[in-house]
Amino acid sequence: MERELVNDGLATLNQEYLIGYCLANTDPVRFHSNHYPFLIPYSFTLNADNKTVKSFTGFVFEEDDSFEQSELSVNQTELNSICYEMKKIARIQFREYGDSDERSGEIDDLNSSNKRKIFELFNKALPMLSREPFTHYLFTYGMRNIQKRPMKKDMQVARFSGEVPSLNFLLSDKGDYYELKLRFKVKEKVLHFCEDRIAMFFICSSANPTVWYLLECETDSRVVLFFSRKNFKIQIPKGYYKEHFEPYVDEIKKQYELEIR
């Protein structure tokens, strides 16, 4: 299964206004300036080979009027609009001490709504993103850090695949215990997660951590997040399996592929 990506070659580069796109990601729970993953444009200069980044000159914000809209390609204009829409709703709202139950519920509902919208926007953006020759990944450590010029050492080259990964579970008999492991498949090939390359809706394989795959649905992202906190495997003593864990495995089989060894 593959999302429809239009591959019309590298975008025509305007040497006066070079723009690329960055997947901005952070830990969604630890700091109060945290955010959901989103895309943000950046400007940069090229090395003499015209293929690699010499330096990043700044993030590009909607209010930035230093360049004329006509300097952008049609693809970049549409993609920028999606980026700006994402950034407006990416910041995670946190409950404050003393908030009423009603206020806490409103915050939870807002976060859930924004998360769904961002996932929809990623699906819309992916074909456009695939056309751009310069794309990167940045772990931001919080929204506050994307007001600055990107640091070259932190910007990691990234490529975004149109293949749709499918989650795959493996249940193994380890003697005294069973082990339930989460993996994923692309084109029927089993891949293992790169543990430090999880961006909620996006995942990478340990074999090629520069290639990002957009998960098929938001539910998959919740499954991946849970198992990422368990190193992608759960071990269950056999004495507890039948009563306490087998019903959980039965539910998994209804939704995902499960291999048993």
Side-chain angles (χ1 to χ4, degrees):
M1 183 177 181
E2 183 176 2
R3 295 179 177 88
E4 183 179 357
L5 298 184
V6 180
N7 187 359
D8 54 3
L10 295 181
T12 301
L13 297 180
N14 182 339
Q15 296 293 333
E16 298 299 318
Y17 186 35
L18 295 170
I19 187 170
Y21 294 89
C22 177
L23 173 60
N25 180 49
T26 192
D27 187 316
V29 296
R30 290 193 177 181
F31 302 102
H32 281 270
S33 66
N34 277 3
H35 57 84
Y36 295 121
F38 67 99
L39 294 174
I40 185 167
Y42 57 81
S43 55
F44 64 97
T45 60
L46 277 172
N47 284 312
D49 61 6
N50 284 336
K51 295 179 181 179
T52 55
V53 173
K54 180 179 180 180
S55 65
F56 296 94
T57 55
F59 290 116
V60 179
F61 303 105
E62 185 173 17
E63 60 274 14
D64 187 349
D65 60 356
S66 58
F67 296 97
E68 294 293 333
Q69 195 75 358
S70 60
E71 294 178 309
L72 296 172
S73 68
V74 173
N75 193 69
Q76 290 171 339
T77 299
E78 294 180 10
L79 190 50
N80 280 14
S81 295
I82 295 175
C83 293
Y84 301 147
E85 192 174 348
M86 281 187 179
K87 186 174 183 293
K88 288 177 182 176
I89 60 175
R91 186 184 293 274
I92 296 174
Q93 305 300 316
F94 288 88
R95 301 176 186 179
E96 299 292 341
Y97 178 77
D99 279 346
S100 64
D101 291 343
E102 181 179 4
R103 174 58 181 159
S104 296
E106 290 173 354
I107 291 172
D108 291 343
D109 289 344
L110 178 61
N111 285 333
S112 296
S113 176
N114 288 343
K115 182 181 176 185
R116 287 193 300 271
K117 289 176 183 176
I118 288 174
F119 181 70
E120 292 169 1
L121 289 169
F122 271 123
N123 274 280
K124 184 178 179 181
L126 191 61
M128 303 176 205
L129 192 62
S130 71
R131 300 172 192 164
E132 294 299 321
F134 292 92
T135 49
H136 286 76
Y137 167 79
L138 173 67
F139 191 88
T140 69
Y141 296 97
M143 185 71 85
R144 64 189 179 276
N145 293 322
I146 54 173
Q147 308 304 322
K148 307 173 184 177
R149 173 181 172 180
M151 299 293 291
K152 188 173 182 180
K153 66 181 179 63
D154 297 328
M155 297 283 279
Q156 301 170 24
V157 172
R159 184 167 66 83
F160 295 90
S161 174
E163 296 290 341
V164 181
S166 59
L167 300 188
N168 170 275
F169 286 88
L170 173 65
L171 183 65
S172 304
D173 187 334
K174 298 293 186 178
D176 294 334
Y177 63 92
Y178 293 109
E179 181 179 271
L180 182 67
K181 186 172 185 178
L182 177 63
R183 313 169 301 178
F184 68 97
K185 279 187 173 182
V186 173
K187 290 184 175 179
E188 297 304 313
K189 182 179 180 180
V190 174
L191 299 172
H192 299 279
F193 288 87
C194 181
E195 296 187 13
D196 62 351
R197 290 291 187 277
I198 305 294
M200 191 166 290
F201 312 120
F202 284 92
I203 58 175
C204 291
S205 73
S206 57
N208 193 348
T210 63
V211 177
W212 291 85
Y213 300 94
L214 181 61
L215 291 166
E216 185 173 12
C217 61
E218 191 187 349
T219 299
D220 285 0
S221 72
R222 293 196 293 268
V223 173
V224 170
L225 179 62
F226 174 80
F227 274 85
S228 70
R229 294 168 176 166
K230 312 290 183 182
N231 299 115
F232 294 99
K233 56 189 176 184
I234 298 175
Q235 296 168 342
I236 314 99
K238 287 187 173 178
Y240 292 91
Y241 179 80
K242 191 74 176 177
E243 181 178 356
H244 298 287
F245 206 74
E246 190 172 48
Y248 178 74
V249 173
D250 289 340
E251 288 300 314
I252 285 176
K253 285 192 289 188
K254 294 177 183 178
Q255 303 294 329
Y256 299 104
E257 182 180 15
L258 174 69
E259 298 181 31
I260 300 175
R261 290 182 187 170

